[in-house]
Amino acid sequence: MPANAKKFKAAHPALSTFRFSHRGAKDYAGLLQHYRAKFKMPQPFVVRLTGFSPRSVAKWSEGVLPSPKQEKALVEMDRLLDGLARVMKPEQVGHWLKSPNPAFDGSTPLQLATLDAGSHAVRLELAGYRHWSSSVRVVAAEQNRVTASLEK
């Protein structure tokens, strides 16, 4: 383990327990490998979905522990992946994230990971399910959670 990771771990005891063992990983490097294999999600997707730099994500791959803020972003991304895996095959998630979607006016879901402040319409469509839509107000420098249920 890198020296700075040990120092960080001692300063943040809450991070001493790895929160992603349900993914079959023992550490953050294993977690990122899991995302690549199961969800067909390369490292740039993790960068985009967490909002952290490629350097930070690369450090996690090398065994450096994320900060509490970074770990929170990983937890949120993990929840998103779980939700997507309920409505599509896990190996389709990476393709779906990078594919232009008519429900998003041709944008990809990854492009929507960072939106400008203001009101935005959100619409979800999946074959075999009723469409879902809502309006979301995005405030600059804040995270917004949107919860949706697709019904058959």
Side-chain angles (χ1 to χ4, degrees):
M1 182 180 290
N4 62 342
K6 286 182 183 179
K7 178 181 168 193
F8 190 79
K9 189 172 182 177
H12 298 283
L15 290 180
S16 62
T17 304
F18 183 65
R19 299 174 67 174
F20 301 94
S21 57
H22 67 284
R23 293 285 184 206
K26 296 177 185 172
D27 55 22
Y28 290 95
L31 178 66
L32 296 176
Q33 288 173 348
H34 169 80
Y35 290 148
R36 282 191 295 273
K38 183 171 183 177
F39 298 107
K40 306 297 184 219
M41 208 172 89
Q43 195 158 307
F45 287 23
V46 176
V47 168
R48 185 72 181 231
L49 290 173
T50 62
F52 290 96
S53 70
R55 176 187 258 174
S56 291
V57 176
K59 285 182 178 181
W60 305 336
S61 294
E62 297 165 1
V64 174
L65 295 176
S67 69
K69 183 177 180 180
Q70 291 170 332
E71 187 180 45
K72 182 179 178 189
L74 283 167
V75 168
E76 292 296 322
M77 183 183 73
D78 199 67
R79 288 180 183 155
L80 170 69
L81 296 174
D82 276 344
L84 291 172
R86 286 188 206 113
V87 296
M88 66 182 71
K89 293 178 182 175
E91 62 273 10
Q92 294 174 329
V93 169
H95 177 74
W96 181 80
L97 286 170
K98 68 178 181 179
S99 297
N101 191 315
F104 304 137
D105 292 329
S107 295
T108 71
L110 269 180
Q111 290 171 320
L112 298 179
T114 54
L115 291 175
D116 293 333
S119 293
H120 298 273
V122 178
R123 181 176 171 91
L124 299 178
E125 297 180 12
L126 185 64
Y129 291 84
R130 291 176 54 198
H131 300 314
W132 178 92
S133 62
S134 182
S135 179
V136 177
R137 182 160 164 41
V138 175
V139 178
E142 290 186 14
Q143 288 187 346
N144 291 62
R145 180 185 303 253
V146 178
T147 304
S149 295
L150 297 178
E151 299 174 3
K152 287 209 173 221

